[in-house]
Amino acid sequence: MSSSTTVKILSLVISASVIVQTTTAGDPDIPSDFIAPDGIPIDGKYFTYIGMRAFVQQSAPPSYFTYMRASKEEFAALDGLSVATIILGFRPRDVSPPHIHPRASELLFVVEGSLVVGFVDTNNKLFTQKLQTGDMFVFPKGLIHFQLNEDPKNHAISVSSLGSASPGLILVPNNLFNTSATIDDRVLALSFKTNVSTIQLLKKALSTPYN
């Protein structure tokens, strides 16, 4: 990955984190500057996360759909600070399927390429937009949304900050058709006005990763 792309990603992560933390913070206020484990010396390393290095140090665009997250589960220092970050790498014609972050709004930057994005509100109205490199889009908390790289030749990269250290993720297709406790085929068939055999085909298709 080029040095200019790396610089863009890092600068956008910082600016997006500041914007989301000050405008859409969703975690409860904490009575201290930060939350730290008991009995463990705290220095700068505690507030440092290096998990994104693997993405920015790639020498070529992603060869598969890439999803890298820094929430409090991966980066304990974020606990109570109302912010998390996601980097998405899209191959040509890749999709981030319809999903929900139940505890956070999401502010997305397109770092490279272009993306078609959108969300559906509680009145069942679709809001969609094609974004170019440098554009931003906000997904309100708890609403179904998606991102699509419809370009047949070029990859795309986006960086998102979310207004919670634990935004949560409900991946709609997987949660409906590929859960550990599978919803009864008859319930899904009636709900989607189709037949059981179609539901079973969907479950089979979703048993393999999107990558």
Side-chain angles (χ1 to χ4, degrees):
M1 188 172 294
S2 67
S3 59
S4 61
T5 297
T6 301
V7 170
K8 285 191 288 185
I9 291 176
L10 295 177
S11 62
L12 291 175
V13 167
I14 293 169
S15 58
S17 297
V18 172
I19 293 169
V20 171
Q21 189 172 5
T22 55
T23 62
T24 62
D27 295 341
D29 287 337
I30 57 176
S32 57
D33 294 333
F34 53 85
I35 298 173
D38 293 333
I40 298 178
I42 299 298
D43 59 17
K45 291 182 179 179
Y46 179 72
F47 300 98
T48 303
Y49 182 70
I50 64 173
M52 301 297 187
R53 289 183 183 179
F55 186 91
V56 299
Q57 290 176 354
Q58 294 178 107
S59 59
S63 59
Y64 54 89
F65 178 71
T66 305
Y67 172 92
M68 300 189 73
R69 180 181 68 178
S71 66
K72 74 175 185 179
E73 286 75 23
E74 297 81 18
F75 187 12
L78 296 182
D79 191 12
L81 300 184
S82 300
V83 68
T85 294
I86 296 171
I87 294 180
L88 294 175
F90 298 82
R91 296 169 301 182
R93 291 180 172 158
D94 250 343
V95 65
S96 177
H99 60 280
I100 299 166
H101 301 295
R103 293 182 290 276
S105 298
E106 175 181 353
L107 182 64
L108 177 144
F109 279 107
V110 179
V111 180
E112 283 193 14
S114 62
L115 291 173
V116 175
V117 302
F119 67 86
V120 179
D121 71 6
T122 54
N123 294 314
N124 206 33
K125 182 177 179 179
L126 172 66
F127 297 84
T128 186
Q129 184 68 34
K130 183 167 184 177
L131 306 179
Q132 304 296 333
T133 300
D135 291 348
M136 300 166 58
F137 193 87
V138 64
F139 304 102
K141 180 170 67 174
L143 298 183
I144 294 176
H145 59 282
F146 64 89
Q147 298 97 17
L148 167 68
N149 178 17
E150 64 178 2
D151 193 308
K153 295 182 179 180
N154 299 305
H155 72 284
I157 298 172
S158 67
V159 177
S160 291
S161 283
L162 300 101
S164 170
S166 183
L169 175 64
I170 300 172
L171 191 58
V172 176
N174 275 24
N175 279 57
L176 286 174
F177 300 105
N178 190 29
T179 59
S180 56
T182 305
I183 299 174
D184 190 287
D185 290 350
R186 295 168 297 174
V187 173
L188 293 172
L190 289 169
S191 300
F192 286 93
K193 300 184 184 298
T194 186
N195 51 56
V196 169
S197 60
T198 299
I199 296 299
Q200 292 173 342
L201 285 172
L202 287 169
K203 287 185 175 181
K204 182 178 180 180
L206 286 164
S207 65
T208 58
Y210 283 98
N211 290 349

